[in-house]
Amino acid sequence: MSIAPTRMIERTKRRHPAAEREACVVEVHEHSPPTLFHSGEQFRLERLPVGSRIVYPPPPLKGLIDVDAAICAALDSPLGMDPLDALLRPGMKLTIAFDDISLPLPPMKTPDIRGRIIEHVLERAYRAGVEDIHMIAALALHRRMTAAELKRAVGARVFDEFYPDRLYNHDAEDPDGIVSLGETRHGEMVELSKRAAESDLLVYVNINIVSMDGGHKSVAVGLGTYNSVKAHHNVHTMRHSKSFMDPAKSEMHHSTARQGDIVEAAVPIFHIETSLNNDMFDGPLGFLAKPEARWTAREQTTFAGLKRTTDRMNPKLRRALFHKSTAPYAITGVQAGAVGPVHEVTLEHVAAQQAVAVRGQADIVTAGLPYVGPYNVDSILNPILVMCMGLGYFFNLYQGVPLVREGGVMIFTHPVTREFHPVHHPSYVDFYEEVLATTTDPIEIERRFEKSYAEDEWYRHLYRTSHAYHGVHPFYMWYWGAHGLQHLGDVIFVGGDAEACRRLGFRRADTMRDALEMAEQVVGRDPSLTHFHCPPLFYAQVEA
């Protein structure tokens, strides 16, 4: 197979010091080393055809020198609002909500930035004489966090003082804990945590790891219900969100912004957002974030040992080992105040770290899917979550136009194992066995099956009392990939389980060479190929 040569090599448009600036888009030549592909809890080395293009993540930005000073400055000089101290008073009802364990990925090394910020907020609240304080993990329809996970997020001192009566998980199905705030001008229902809605001040503490996060999405979704979330987590909205990483062109973000306006009219919100660098691999594994051509001889030896060990390891032990890993992220920004101005600055910080300029789409895009996504922390990346990771997230890591052309092919490496976490993903099992056995068409799935799963009393019970995702959650994961399904001509998984790939509606191949030959049947001879070398996280700014 031959590959059409890339016309140019681009550099990133980001604010890195000149000494750190490097080419993030490179062309494969005859002497290029093999390319690293993640494949769940294992790794692959693949030789891409000469002329292929590889898009690498930018190197990590340096973090803030004094994070606590940055937090204080943000609280004292917020954007578009009075300082936090001026908003606090005796006798008021204060609620602090924070992002759940769906981010960052992998989890950050302690202390978690959420806990650091919450301690600063509490110190000021106590100084102002505020006594009625609650803290809520903004789960939306995700699984409840365990006590240990809550403690890790907020820190031991806060946990010991507030848990469980005043530190708890949001319950989107609590009939006594939810209030309706009305509808938007588009008829989108807005329901919210009653405690949050009736507060004199709601402080939201966010972590932004991609440009999709934060803004009005934090409160309207995180403290919302099925009735409010379904306003934008539907097939029509997902297909018209191009892309999720470009809020200005995302119908989902337009919808959450309209809901956010309703929420802000009901309760004052002091929004705190943070941004991280992309330093995901710690210590001796730091080379995994570097281009392979820059690996030293020692790093090459380390990788060979790592691959040999993980290939031979018991799968359950290997999974447990991967999920224990944490990332040495650095904080690149802390801003607070009104939702709109705060999020605008946050997006600038995210772009400075993650944006890579790429000229031209490709006929074929390859990518290796890692072991963890937002919905399988300490769990299993089941086949539906694999689909969501590939077509919902990796496909959408772009601004402008998709990295792969319309009708093109995406090739992923992942085992696509038919395995489900029995506690976290009970409705996923039934979705796989019942829904996908009938159809893979998102519109048909939404029309025929969603309501019964969303309103199922057993799924509702497990969501409220155990650690299960809401019954409707696998539907949303499938819709998340609806734009990719509509855009692509084919999806191929190298190394994927044959039965699982068939159930998902995708093809599979034993080797990358086989997959590339299969892709040629769709896009024609001599295709252009781009490899999206993620993780670490980044997104492509693609000019057609």
Side-chain angles (χ1 to χ4, degrees):
M1 175 181 179
S2 59
I3 292 292
T6 307
R7 288 177 296 175
M8 66 174 294
I9 296 176
E10 302 90 356
R11 292 181 178 270
T12 58
K13 297 177 180 178
R14 63 189 192 283
R15 299 192 300 269
H16 282 94
E20 295 183 1
R21 192 174 295 272
E22 63 178 301
C24 285
V25 184
V26 301
E27 187 174 309
V28 175
H29 53 75
E30 292 181 357
H31 302 293
S32 295
T35 302
L36 170 66
F37 280 71
H38 290 254
S39 183
E41 292 127 9
Q42 294 176 279
F43 304 97
R44 301 174 68 106
L45 286 177
E46 303 286 355
R47 285 202 174 273
L48 296 174
V50 172
S52 300
R53 183 173 59 173
I54 303 176
V55 187
Y56 287 101
L61 290 169
K62 292 183 178 180
L64 299 172
I65 296 174
D66 190 335
V67 175
D68 288 304
I71 295 171
C72 290
L75 302 183
D76 290 337
S77 302
L79 303 173
M81 289 186 74
D82 291 333
L84 179 60
D85 286 351
L87 304 176
L88 300 171
R89 66 181 188 278
M92 74 181 304
K93 182 182 288 187
L94 172 65
T95 298
I96 304 170
F98 55 93
D99 285 339
D100 73 345
I101 57 167
S102 60
L103 46 81
L105 303 169
M108 68 189 311
K109 289 187 177 299
T110 55
D112 192 293
I113 186 60
R114 285 165 286 206
R116 297 177 74 171
I117 291 173
I118 288 171
E119 288 200 359
H120 279 272
V121 173
L122 289 175
E123 179 183 345
R124 290 159 187 259
Y126 291 151
R127 194 166 59 220
V130 180
E131 296 180 351
D132 186 354
I133 306 172
H134 281 215
M135 277 177 275
I136 307 175
L139 305 174
L141 305 178
H142 300 170
R143 71 168 176 86
R144 294 165 63 245
M145 293 172 68
T146 66
E149 289 167 340
L150 288 169
K151 186 174 185 177
R152 193 180 192 282
V154 303
R157 286 183 296 182
V158 173
F159 179 86
D160 291 343
E161 182 177 351
F162 283 84
Y163 184 82
D165 297 331
R166 295 185 296 149
L167 167 61
Y168 47 86
N169 293 296
H170 171 59
D171 185 348
E173 290 287 355
D174 180 5
D176 299 321
I178 299 297
V179 295
S180 174
L181 301 182
E183 295 183 356
T184 71
R185 64 183 183 277
H186 287 237
E188 297 141 325
M189 191 175 294
V190 183
E191 294 182 338
L192 204 72
S193 156
K194 183 177 182 180
R195 166 70 199 198
E198 295 180 350
S199 295
D200 296 300
L201 180 66
L202 172 62
V203 174
Y204 196 97
V205 182
N206 151 273
I207 297 178
N208 256 75
I209 59 168
V210 290
S211 55
M212 179 186 71
D213 299 332
H216 287 289
K217 184 170 171 286
S218 291
V219 174
V221 174
L223 297 178
T225 68
Y226 168 65
N227 287 329
S228 53
V229 172
K230 71 179 181 181
H232 33 75
H233 281 54
N234 57 69
V235 179
H236 176 81
T237 302
M238 295 299 182
R239 281 183 169 172
H240 290 81
S241 295
K242 304 180 179 179
S243 80
F244 302 134
M245 303 305 158
D246 194 351
K249 297 181 180 179
S250 166
E251 286 300 319
M252 179 185 68
H253 285 86
H254 295 165
S255 178
T256 59
R258 291 189 292 267
Q259 291 179 323
D261 290 340
I262 301 292
V263 174
E264 284 191 295
V267 57
I269 302 175
F270 191 86
H271 205 62
I272 307 170
E273 292 196 341
T274 63
S275 54
L276 311 178
N277 68 4
N278 64 353
D279 194 3
M280 296 177 65
F281 300 106
D282 198 15
L285 297 183
F287 69 92
L288 292 175
K290 292 165 42 179
E292 294 81 0
R294 294 181 52 214
W295 289 5
T296 65
R298 183 170 185 172
E299 290 169 341
Q300 293 174 26
T301 301
T302 300
F303 176 78
L306 175 65
K307 185 177 184 336
R308 184 167 55 251
T309 300
T310 54
D311 286 348
R312 295 176 178 177
M313 190 176 292
N314 174 278
K316 290 186 178 180
L317 178 60
R318 182 173 61 216
R319 178 176 298 144
L321 181 65
F322 270 84
H323 279 280
K324 287 181 181 178
S325 66
T326 56
Y329 303 112
I331 309 301
T332 60
V334 180
Q335 40 278 334
V339 177
V342 164
H343 195 53
E344 184 176 342
V345 175
T346 299
L347 290 178
E348 293 177 358
H349 285 290
V350 173
Q353 174 60 84
Q354 296 188 7
V356 177
V358 180
R359 180 169 297 179
Q361 297 174 291
D363 299 312
I364 301 170
V365 168
T366 61
L369 301 184
Y371 69 97
V372 66
Y375 317 111
N376 77 307
V377 176
D378 289 326
S379 188
I380 298 168
L381 198 71
N382 64 55
I384 293 99
L385 291 178
V386 171
M387 182 274 194
C388 179
M389 175 81 81
L391 298 188
Y393 283 91
F394 273 53
F395 170 82
N396 281 288
L397 284 168
Y398 74 87
Q399 290 185 356
V401 295
L403 194 56
V404 58
R405 69 164 174 83
E406 187 171 2
V409 176
M410 289 199 76
I411 300 174
F412 299 108
T413 54
H414 195 279
V416 201
T417 307
R418 189 202 169 283
E419 187 177 3
F420 298 83
H421 195 291
V423 175
H424 294 169
H425 302 127
S427 65
Y428 278 75
V429 179
D430 295 334
F431 182 90
Y432 180 90
E433 297 292 352
E434 177 189 19
V435 177
L436 293 182
T438 305
T439 179
T440 59
D441 176 49
I443 294 178
E444 189 75 1
I445 288 173
E446 184 178 51
R447 182 182 68 83
R448 292 179 58 184
F449 297 100
E450 179 185 314
K451 189 174 189 292
S452 64
Y453 275 66
E455 298 178 355
D456 184 274
E457 286 300 331
W458 179 241
Y459 296 147
R460 183 176 288 154
H461 171 75
L462 294 176
Y463 163 78
R464 297 195 65 195
T465 63
S466 181
H467 296 281
Y469 284 83
H470 194 279
V472 80
H473 202 260
F475 289 80
Y476 290 168
M477 297 302 94
W478 199 259
Y479 305 163
W480 212 257
H483 178 207
L485 284 173
Q486 187 178 49
H487 181 88
L488 295 169
D490 203 0
V491 179
I492 303 169
F493 280 88
V494 177
D497 176 82
E499 191 280 330
C501 289
R502 279 195 300 270
R503 180 61 58 89
L504 298 175
F506 305 140
R507 294 203 288 172
R508 54 91 58 199
D510 288 324
T511 68
M512 182 62 67
R513 181 184 292 273
D514 290 343
L516 293 175
E517 291 178 356
M518 292 163 63
E520 278 193 335
Q521 300 168 7
V522 178
V523 300
R525 302 282 296 178
D526 300 327
S528 57
L529 185 151
T530 295
H531 176 60
F532 188 74
H533 204 289
C534 179
L537 276 169
F538 70 100
Y539 63 85
Q541 291 179 320
V542 186
E543 296 181 22

